[in-house]
Amino acid sequence: MDIIVSEDVEAGFLQDIGYILADSDFRKLARYVQHKNTTRLMHSINVAYISWKLAKMMGCDARTAARIGMLHDFCLYDFREKANGSQVFRHPKVAAEKSEERFEISDKEKKAILSHMFPLGPLPTSKEAWIISFADKMCAVTERFSIDIALSRKNRIQVNAA
């Protein structure tokens, strides 16, 4: 799989999430549809980018926000399969477990992943967790209506199957 990044994507963002984006398991998220027409990989990149930008503007930990954004839906199965149960409650736990297994994440990052579905899950306990919860909902709504957002606009990041 090729991931093509345009020159106008900030280098700081790529430095903060590049090792996650390069991970072979994480790249498998490109196989799954998220919110109608977006892949879970692109959704995660968009949530990470918006979270990174917001955290920088608000004086929060942008690196942590970007990492949480990348990992908040790190589940390697199709959410639409009914056998997997209610995804609203299940997928944050699976994503947190998979993130711990594959990457070193802090307790703060784990709690943020677990709370990203608020108000249908736990109350976010950090500013970065609130940012992720907001960015995830913003991306979900725009993606559901087939509106390009963040890095999917103007093909700033393109994911091509090899």
Side-chain angles (χ1 to χ4, degrees), residues 77-92:
Y77 60 87
D78 191 340
F79 286 177
R80 298 172 296 178
E81 292 176 10
K82 300 210 185 296
N84 287 319
S86 175
Q87 290 313 305
V88 168
F89 303 107
R90 182 172 185 261
H91 87 271

Side-chain angles (χ1 to χ4, degrees), residues 1-2 5 9 17 20 32 48 53 70 74 81 92 97 104 106 125-126 132 136-138 141 145 152 155 159:
M1 163 187 319
D2 292 329
V5 180
V9 176
I17 58 94
I20 297 172
Y32 305 102
K53 294 286 274 186
M70 288 293 282
F74 189 23
E81 292 176 10
E97 290 169 6
E104 248 182 73
S106 68
T125 58
S126 68
I132 299 313
D136 182 43
K137 287 160 185 57
M138 186 171 84
V141 168
F145 291 101
S152 54
N155 295 317
V159 179

